[in-house]
Amino acid sequence: MIDKKTLSIWERQGGIGFIGLGNMGSAIAMRLTKPKIDGLPLMVYDPDSIKLAPFIERGAIAAKSALELCKSCDIIFACLPTSAVTETVLFGDAGISSDLKPGQIFVDMTSGDPAISRDQAARLAKAGVIFVDAPVSGGPRGAREGTIAIMVGGEDKLYEQILPTLKVISSNIFHAGPVGAGHALKAGNNLLNLICRMASFEVVSLLINAGVDAERAVDILQKSSGRNYATEITLPDNILSGKMHQGFSMALMEKDAGLALDMAAGLAQPMPLGEVAFAELQDAMHTHGDTADMSLVALEYETKTGARIRPKSVSYTHLRAHETPEHRGWRNQREKKKGGGG
C-alpha cells in the first residue's frame, strides 16, 4: 500500500515520463498509474503505438516521441533491451541528450552494462543531467504486484530524492552503491538465476527418472534447503503449469549472464559454475533460437536426460501454437535451411 506522504512527495517532483513499454517496462510503468489522484503526472512513450493504449485508458499521456517526453518530464525512466539501445535513445541521431536540462534525472531500468552506464552518466553530467541506474529483478509478475527488487546506483542524496517515486513502483528498493553498481548487481543476479535454474532442471530431471512425480518433487524442494526462484516460480508457474512462457528470452539471459562473466574476466576471477550454466544456455539457444522463451530450456533437459518435466498434455504442437512471431520466424528459417531452401 502506498502511503499518502509518499504520494504527496511524488506529485511535487513534477512530470514523470517512462520510455519503453515491453514486457517489463509496461508492468513497471503501470504501477505509476495505479494511484487514483487527479493530475498525476505520467507520460509514456514507445515506438509501438499499440503498447500505449492501456496507459491512455489509465489516464496517462502518450508522447509522440521520446524527445517530446523529455521536454515535459523532470524524471525520465527508461526500460530498454540493452545499454546499446539506451545509448541510441540518449546519444543517437534522434537522441534526447541535447534537449535534457540541468537537474533532470534519467533513470535507466535496463539490465545494462555497468561500464557503459558510468560512461553515459559522465557525459550527461557535463550538461548537469543526472543518470541513475536502477535495474529490476522479479519478472513481470513481481512488477505488477509491486514486489520487484529495484537495485539503485547513484549518490546517497540522489537516492533519497527519487525514493518516493520508486516506492510507488515497489516496496523492495535497495541502494547498491555509486553509478553502475545497480547494473553490476543485476548482471550478477541473473547469472546466479541461470545457475540455479540449470541446477534445478538437472536435479528435478534426476528425481523424475528416480520415480518421483515432477510436481511433488518441486513442491518438496521448495519447502527444503534447495529452494530457489526456479522451484518457487519458474517450475510451478511456467513449466509444470504447461504455460511454457515466462516472457524473458534466452537472448536477454545470455546478455545479462554474459555481462557478469565479462566483469569476472576483467577481474581475472574464475567462474566455473557460471561458465557451465552459460554453455548449457547456449546449447538451448542453438536448438530453440535466441528469441525462444527461457522456459524452453526445460526441453533441453528433457532431451538430455529422458525425463518429462512439462505436463504430458503439452506437446510440441501446443508449443508451436503459442510461440512468439519472432520465434516462429526463426524456426521457419531454420527449417528452410534444413530442407535446402524448399
Side-chain angles (χ1 to χ4, degrees), residues 81-83 108-114 117 135 183-184 186-187 255-256 259:
T82 65
S83 287
D108 186 13
M109 306 192 89
T110 304
S111 294
D113 184 323
S117 299
H183 281 152
K186 175 59 189 292
K255 183 259 298 181
D256 292 349
L259 286 173

Side-chain angles (χ1 to χ4, degrees), residues 184-195 256-280:
L185 248 171
K186 175 59 189 292
N189 173 80
N190 275 22
L191 178 60
L192 181 59
N193 175 287
L194 178 64
I195 293 169
D256 292 349
L259 286 173
L261 292 175
D262 287 345
M263 283 193 294
L267 295 168
Q269 177 179 324
M271 301 286 285
L273 293 179
E275 289 170 1
V276 168
F278 193 74
E280 290 292 318

Side-chain angles (χ1 to χ4, degrees), residues 171-307:
S171 57
N172 294 314
I173 306 158
F174 306 94
H175 188 195
V179 170
H183 281 152
L185 248 171
K186 175 59 189 292
N189 173 80
N190 275 22
L191 178 60
L192 181 59
N193 175 287
L194 178 64
I195 293 169
C196 292
R197 183 188 303 253
M198 299 307 197
S200 296
F201 286 168
E202 184 173 280
V203 169
V204 169
S205 298
L206 169 67
L207 295 175
I208 292 170
N209 283 333
V212 182
D213 174 77
E215 290 191 19
R216 187 166 298 178
V218 171
D219 184 52
I220 295 172
L221 287 172
Q222 177 54 24
K223 303 299 191 299
S224 306
S225 60
R227 63 187 177 274
N228 59 75
Y229 187 82
T231 61
E232 179 186 2
I233 303 294
T234 303
L235 278 157
D237 286 9
N238 303 319
I239 311 297
L240 300 179
S241 67
K243 186 170 66 173
M244 300 299 293
H245 182 75
Q246 181 181 344
F248 189 64
S249 72
M250 294 187 192
L252 288 177
M253 177 61 87
E254 182 191 40
K255 183 259 298 181
D256 292 349
L259 286 173
L261 292 175
D262 287 345
M263 283 193 294
L267 295 168
Q269 177 179 324
M271 301 286 285
L273 293 179
E275 289 170 1
V276 168
F278 193 74
E280 290 292 318
L281 173 62
Q282 291 184 314
D283 282 350
M285 292 175 68
H286 177 73
T287 302
H288 302 285
D290 57 0
T291 61
D293 192 86
M294 274 299 295
S295 295
L296 298 190
V297 171
L299 303 181
E300 199 73 6
Y301 280 85
E302 290 187 348
T303 300
K304 291 179 178 179
T305 67

Side-chain angles (χ1 to χ4, degrees), residues 82-96:
T82 65
S83 287
V85 178
T86 303
E87 177 74 15
T88 299
V89 169
L90 285 172
F91 302 104
D93 292 339
I96 65 175

